[in-house]
Amino acid sequence: MHSRTSGDAAGRRNAVAAVLIDYGRELERDGAAQVGGSFTGNADADRLLAEEPNAFLIGTLFTQGIPAERAWSGPYLLKQRLGSFSLEALADKSLVSAAVQTPPMLHRFKKTLPAWIVSAARRLARDYDGNAARIWAPGSSVVEVVGRLSAFDGIGRKKAVMATEILMRHFGVELTGRERGSVAYDVHVRRVFLRSGLVDHDDRDAIEAAAASLCPASPGTLDLPAWLIGRDSCRPKTPSCDSCRLGDVCPRLVDRNVTGVGVRARS
């Protein structure tokens, strides 16, 4: 009986993974952004992220504690307020603090975010000749890029993994070692992995191991589909199971929820 139950659980996990992989490949073919067809809902803000590598790096700093569309709009709004996106402007703490904190504030982390931006500008100037594209230079591996991004203040592993997957999926950056990629330990991803039975515990190592086991060629393929499902369907209090992409295969363990939203920054 135990063997049959284990087999049934494994079958369900494989079925869930198959749907996520198909959805992920569909999103990759479409070049989907983090929030669907657009990062920000603003064509000019999207264009800045696409054309200015430093803006993408700074946008990654914004992606914590606020909705994704607002976070990715941050570099565009910051540039408007600074009047420039030069490293000199971004490295000026008084200018950046004023730009972030002037109402309406660009971010809830009104003191922490400016410090991260200034630190990033200085690191870019010191280590990357002022150009964030050197972080993901041709020939780099997924592991190398995750490590380089993680070295920036305000970018932990979760953000680094997410940003690396976006660079490959949306911007066509070619990195080696996609089998070493992963899913970001994001609140939406965590909830989907728990409720769909891919993992039994809200643990980063368990979630990353499940992704690697279920999609060994490119574990990061599971990242965006899980994130979108978690944001749009598998909501904390009112999940829409019947309309969810996973509705036919998910065991609907909706009593499971994440225990927090990850590391918080001081405001």
Side-chain angles (χ1 to χ4, degrees):
M1 185 69 170
H2 175 74
S3 174
R4 179 178 176 181
T5 301
S6 299
D8 290 346
R12 286 196 299 270
R13 286 194 296 271
N14 289 333
V16 169
V19 173
L20 287 176
I21 291 169
D22 285 346
Y23 188 16
R25 289 173 177 164
E26 174 188 323
L27 292 166
E28 288 177 0
R29 287 193 299 270
D30 294 341
Q34 181 72 356
V35 289
S38 168
F39 282 93
T40 68
N42 180 316
D44 292 332
D46 282 349
R47 190 175 304 110
L48 179 65
L49 294 171
E51 296 177 354
E52 175 53 75
N54 291 356
F56 178 79
L57 178 70
I58 298 302
T60 302
L61 296 174
F62 274 81
T63 59
Q64 184 172 340
I66 60 175
E69 293 91 339
R70 182 181 169 197
W72 288 113
S73 297
Y76 177 73
L77 298 174
L78 180 64
K79 181 180 180 180
Q80 286 187 319
R81 293 186 177 191
L82 290 174
S84 166
F85 214 71
S86 68
L87 285 185
E88 291 77 14
L90 293 170
D92 188 317
K93 187 173 182 179
S94 61
L95 287 178
V96 173
S97 294
V100 171
Q101 295 170 10
T102 298
M105 290 195 302
L106 297 186
H107 202 283
R108 59 185 292 201
F109 300 154
K110 61 183 181 181
K111 295 180 180 178
T112 309
L113 180 67
W116 289 346
I117 293 170
V118 169
S119 175
R122 294 174 180 175
R123 180 178 285 275
L124 283 174
R126 184 181 70 242
D127 298 343
Y128 295 103
D129 198 26
N131 183 3
R134 293 180 180 271
I135 298 169
W136 48 87
S140 298
S141 71
V142 168
V143 171
E144 288 171 332
V145 174
V146 169
R148 291 167 189 162
L149 289 170
S150 297
F152 283 79
D153 291 339
I155 301 182
R157 177 170 175 80
K158 182 184 84 168
K159 290 183 183 178
V161 168
M162 172 201 71
T164 301
E165 290 299 323
I166 292 173
L167 286 167
M168 292 188 290
R169 179 185 65 246
H170 184 69
F171 293 112
V173 173
E174 295 186 3
L175 302 176
T176 62
R178 288 199 68 175
E179 71 280 1
R180 299 288 301 280
S182 193
V183 294
Y185 189 58
D186 174 88
V187 62
H188 299 311
V189 174
R190 293 155 63 190
R191 188 165 56 250
V192 169
F193 269 59
L194 279 168
R195 289 179 170 179
S196 67
L198 295 181
V199 295
D200 293 320
H201 304 286
D202 183 12
D203 176 81
R204 192 193 79 182
D205 290 342
I207 288 173
E208 291 191 357
S213 173
L214 294 164
C215 188
S218 57
T221 298
L222 303 178
D223 184 64
L224 182 57
W227 187 88
L228 288 171
I229 289 170
R231 188 188 71 151
D232 298 336
S233 302
C234 195
R235 294 185 295 270
K237 295 181 179 179
T238 56
S240 302
C241 295
D242 290 338
S243 61
C244 177
R245 294 283 291 246
L246 295 174
D248 291 338
V249 294
C250 179
R252 304 189 182 191
L253 305 173
V254 295
D255 58 316
R256 295 181 173 185
N257 215 335
V258 299
T259 55
V261 295
V263 177
R264 295 179 182 271
R266 293 176 295 174
S267 59

